[in-house]
Amino acid sequence: MQMDAEAFEALVVDELDRLPDEMVAGLENVVFVVEDRPENGEDLFGLYEGLALTERGQYGMGELPDRIIIYRHAHLAASESEEELRGEVHTTLVHEIAHFFGLDDDQLHELGWA
């Protein structure tokens, strides 16, 4: 599937807006970023960079924001339609937000979000 960076970013923002309020209400000091692909060449849909809430001791002012990165090329390669693309982006957003809240990949797999 083909989609330019601007249109893909708009789709990610739209899918983020569609997430339940309960899921995004606790997100604090987190930025969402769209990139074409990981610098290290890994085949990832997304990445959470930060310290999960469950691992934080003292955390406060002056801390750089955590980042949730959504990778455009992996999503486009896995999707044949915009509907499939939206589903993949939705799953990736839920997956990476769950990492922020402290869920690991095994837990996410058990819940069907891996």
Side-chain angles (χ1 to χ4, degrees):
M1 182 172 175
Q2 298 288 338
M3 182 178 282
D4 67 30
E6 187 176 311
F8 182 79
E9 188 169 328
L11 184 142
V12 170
V13 170
D14 187 49
E15 286 304 311
L16 186 57
D17 288 343
R18 292 176 186 228
L19 293 175
D21 290 340
E22 306 81 46
M23 182 177 293
V24 295
L27 294 176
E28 188 175 303
N29 203 26
V30 178
V31 295
F32 289 83
V33 179
V34 173
E35 294 181 2
D36 283 340
R37 61 179 55 92
E39 290 180 14
N40 63 8
E42 286 186 78
D43 187 26
L44 299 174
F45 284 86
L47 180 67
Y48 169 68
E49 292 181 334
L51 191 60
L53 287 180
T54 55
E55 298 175 12
R56 293 181 184 180
Q58 287 186 325
Y59 184 86
M61 295 191 52
E63 298 289 336
L64 292 174
D66 292 0
R67 294 182 354 137
I68 292 177
I69 306 167
I70 306 299
Y71 295 109
R72 181 170 69 103
H73 285 275
H75 282 90
L76 294 176
S79 305
E80 294 183 14
S81 68
E82 185 173 323
E83 183 178 339
E84 282 184 19
L85 180 61
R86 285 184 175 279
E88 291 292 346
V89 168
H90 180 89
T91 299
T92 302
L93 286 168
V94 170
H95 183 102
E96 301 308 332
I97 289 169
H99 285 316
F100 170 84
F101 288 112
L103 278 76
D104 64 25
D105 283 332
D106 289 338
Q107 291 168 311
L108 288 167
H109 183 72
E110 289 175 19
L111 295 170
W113 291 104

